[in-house]
Protein backbone atom coordinates (compact mmCIF):
# COMPACT_ATOMS: atom_id res chain seq x y z
CA UNK A 1 0.00 0.00 0.00
CA UNK A 2 1.29 3.42 -0.94
CA UNK A 3 0.84 5.92 1.90
CA UNK A 4 0.83 9.65 1.08
CA UNK A 5 0.38 12.76 3.17
CA UNK A 6 -1.79 15.46 1.58
CA UNK A 7 -3.20 18.71 2.90
CA UNK A 8 -6.51 20.36 2.14
CA UNK A 9 -6.56 21.40 -1.52
CA UNK A 10 -3.78 19.01 -2.55
CA UNK A 11 -4.41 16.12 -4.92
CA UNK A 12 -3.04 12.88 -6.32
CA UNK A 13 -3.37 11.63 -9.91
CA UNK A 14 -4.00 7.99 -10.84
CA UNK A 15 -3.17 6.74 -14.34
CA UNK A 16 -3.43 10.16 -16.03
CA UNK A 17 -7.21 10.28 -15.75
CA UNK A 18 -8.30 10.08 -12.11
CA UNK A 19 -7.69 12.98 -9.74
CA UNK A 20 -8.39 12.73 -6.01
CA UNK A 21 -8.40 16.02 -4.11
CA UNK A 22 -8.55 16.53 -0.33
CA UNK A 23 -11.48 18.89 0.20
CA UNK A 24 -11.40 19.03 3.96
CA UNK A 25 -10.47 17.31 7.20
CA UNK A 26 -12.74 17.44 10.27
CA UNK A 27 -11.68 15.21 13.13
CA UNK A 28 -11.54 11.64 11.83
CA UNK A 29 -13.42 12.52 8.62
CA UNK A 30 -11.71 13.36 5.35
CA UNK A 31 -13.73 14.77 2.45
CA UNK A 32 -12.46 13.68 -0.96
CA UNK A 33 -13.28 15.02 -4.40
CA UNK A 34 -12.81 12.56 -7.25
CA UNK A 35 -12.58 13.49 -10.94
CA UNK A 36 -12.73 10.48 -13.22
CA UNK A 37 -14.11 9.48 -16.62
CA UNK A 38 -17.77 8.45 -16.55
CA UNK A 39 -16.69 4.93 -17.52
CA UNK A 40 -14.92 4.53 -14.15
CA UNK A 41 -17.23 3.21 -11.46
CA UNK A 42 -16.57 4.64 -7.99
CA UNK A 43 -18.04 3.02 -4.89
CA UNK A 44 -17.54 3.32 -1.16
CA UNK A 45 -15.82 0.09 -0.10
CA UNK A 46 -18.73 -1.16 2.02
CA UNK A 47 -21.12 -0.71 -0.94
CA UNK A 48 -18.66 -2.44 -3.29
CA UNK A 49 -18.33 -5.41 -0.94
CA UNK A 50 -22.11 -5.64 -0.60
CA UNK A 51 -22.50 -5.70 -4.40
CA UNK A 52 -19.85 -8.43 -4.66
CA UNK A 53 -21.62 -10.54 -2.02
CA UNK A 54 -24.99 -10.15 -3.76
CA UNK A 55 -23.39 -11.20 -7.06
CA UNK A 56 -21.82 -14.27 -5.42
CA UNK A 57 -25.15 -15.26 -3.88
CA UNK A 58 -27.03 -14.92 -7.17
CA UNK A 59 -24.35 -16.92 -9.00
CA UNK A 60 -24.72 -19.78 -6.52
CA UNK A 61 -28.49 -20.07 -6.75
CA UNK A 62 -29.43 -23.72 -7.01
CA UNK A 63 -30.50 -24.85 -10.44
CA UNK A 64 -32.28 -28.00 -11.50
CA UNK A 65 -30.89 -30.39 -14.07
CA UNK A 66 -32.26 -30.87 -17.58
CA UNK A 67 -34.00 -34.10 -16.62
CA UNK A 68 -35.72 -32.42 -13.68
CA UNK A 69 -36.79 -29.50 -15.90
CA UNK A 70 -38.27 -31.86 -18.51
CA UNK A 71 -40.09 -33.75 -15.77
CA UNK A 72 -41.65 -30.49 -14.52
CA UNK A 73 -42.59 -29.41 -18.05
CA UNK A 74 -44.19 -32.77 -18.89
CA UNK A 75 -46.01 -33.12 -15.58
CA UNK A 76 -47.07 -29.66 -14.41
CA UNK A 77 -48.71 -29.60 -11.01
Amino acid sequence: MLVLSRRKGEAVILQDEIEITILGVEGDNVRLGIKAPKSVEIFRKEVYLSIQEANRESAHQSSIGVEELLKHLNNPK
Side-chain angles (χ1 to χ4, degrees):
M1 175 189 312
L2 173 65
V3 178
L4 300 172
S5 295
R6 300 277 75 201
R7 297 176 195 261
K8 182 178 175 181
E10 295 181 333
V12 295
I13 304 291
L14 305 173
Q15 296 188 351
D16 296 329
E17 54 185 16
I18 301 171
E19 180 177 339
I20 301 173
T21 303
I22 306 303
L23 300 177
V25 179
E26 296 175 11
D28 289 341
N29 292 320
V30 177
R31 292 183 60 228
L32 302 173
I34 303 171
K35 289 183 188 176
K38 295 220 182 262
S39 61
V40 175
E41 294 181 325
I42 301 171
F43 299 100
R44 293 187 326 252
K45 185 175 181 177
E46 62 273 15
V47 172
Y48 179 77
L49 294 175
S50 176
I51 291 168
Q52 284 186 321
E53 180 61 26
N55 288 340
R56 274 193 295 276
E57 287 176 8
S58 65
H60 287 95
Q61 293 295 322
S62 63
S63 59
I64 61 175
V66 173
E67 294 83 15
E68 190 70 21
L69 178 60
L70 289 173
K71 188 169 129 182
H72 285 293
L73 291 174
N74 292 329
N75 298 315
K77 293 182 180 182

